[in-house]
Amino acid sequence: MVGISGASGAVLALEALRMLEEMRIERYVTVTPGAELTIGHELGAAAREEIRSLATRDLAPSDLLAPIASGSFEIDAMIVVPCSMRSLAAIAYGTGEGLLARAADVTLKERRPLVLVTREAPLHEGHLEAMLKVTRMGARVTPPVPPYYAGLEDLDDMNRQIAARALATAGLDSGTHLRRWTGSNVISRR
Ligand SMILES: Cc1cc2nc3c(=O)[nH]c(=O)nc-3n(C[C@H](O)[C@H](O)[C@H](O)COP(=O)(O)O)c2cc1C
């Protein structure tokens, strides 16, 4: 399950979806109204279409009848990428308001992997409290931090590395995309 919320960094969702498709993992996607704005602003209409085409199912943010709104529907993991402070708060307090927050709530209650690629800076106490709360409930908070040590070639490469790491945090190995530290100063590009 991929939730796309209205934080900056829509490209990370696109990269993650491309990798998940390559990995032949089913992709239930929901895009919040806030994310419709950021995707349009940061990537444009063609990228929104690509996100739609990469989704096994593109679910309306208000569709609380969607399979993923119920814990009886099994998923491997859920990732919210990028995760806005609004969606983070909704998840932290279990509001279940909208499909993204509901699916995340279900993922937590079923003790399945939930990864939040939270994007905001600087952070105030409320943001940090919400991060602590979701962490204590079992989610993993992984802000989009570039791996500067990984011999990044350009911004596209950086975005792919961040997306691959977020998927790995959810237990999904994107294979060749994830450049791993080998313990020396030589970066493995398997
Ligand atoms: C261009 C743009 C960039 C934004 N970047 C962020 C951001 O990085 N982090 C964040 O928490 N909110 C950001 N916002 C604000 C959210 O989109 C807004 O709070 C929205 O209500 C989030 O709702 P959602 O979580 O349901 O998508 C941004 C908004 C715009 C228009």
Side-chain angles (χ1 to χ4, degrees):
M1 169 69 197
V2 178
I4 307 177
S5 72
S8 187
V11 68
L12 301 174
L14 190 55
E15 293 293 0
L17 283 170
R18 287 174 180 158
M19 287 176 202
L20 288 168
E21 187 197 38
E22 264 183 50
M23 294 153 76
R24 297 179 188 279
I25 292 175
E26 275 186 77
R27 304 158 303 280
Y28 287 75
V29 177
T30 192
V31 176
T32 67
E36 295 290 356
L37 291 180
T38 48
I39 293 167
H41 177 73
E42 295 180 352
L43 303 176
R48 178 63 184 98
E49 266 322 298
E50 187 179 350
I51 287 171
R52 216 184 302 281
S53 72
L54 285 167
T56 310
R57 282 186 67 182
D58 186 19
L59 300 159
S62 59
D63 185 6
L64 292 174
L65 293 173
I68 50 162
S70 166
S72 63
F73 183 77
E74 282 197 42
I75 59 165
D76 299 311
M78 175 169 178
I79 178 165
V80 184
V81 57
C83 182
S84 73
M85 294 303 101
R86 179 178 190 260
S87 285
L88 168 70
I91 296 165
Y93 291 93
T95 65
E97 181 199 358
L99 184 57
L100 188 152
R102 171 61 186 163
D105 205 45
V106 164
T107 304
L108 286 176
K109 84 180 173 71
E110 299 298 332
R111 308 291 194 267
R112 294 175 185 139
L114 174 65
V115 170
L116 309 179
V117 184
T118 53
R119 197 275 164 203
E120 189 51 281
L123 300 166
H124 62 55
E125 188 174 338
H127 299 145
L128 293 166
E129 262 180 16
M131 288 183 193
L132 179 60
K133 215 165 156 42
V134 294
T135 301
R136 285 183 171 153
M137 292 192 287
R140 292 187 191 186
V141 175
T142 178
V145 177
Y148 293 107
Y149 56 85
L152 299 170
E153 282 158 12
D154 52 26
L155 282 179
D156 291 340
D157 189 26
M158 181 185 82
N159 292 331
R160 278 192 294 272
Q161 286 306 306
I162 292 171
R165 277 150 213 271
L167 293 180
T169 303
L172 304 168
D173 186 352
S174 61
T176 53
H177 290 293
L178 180 54
R179 208 171 299 144
R180 293 174 190 280
W181 177 249
T182 56
S184 70
N185 58 1
V186 177
I187 300 296
S188 157
R189 297 171 191 253
R190 289 195 291 136

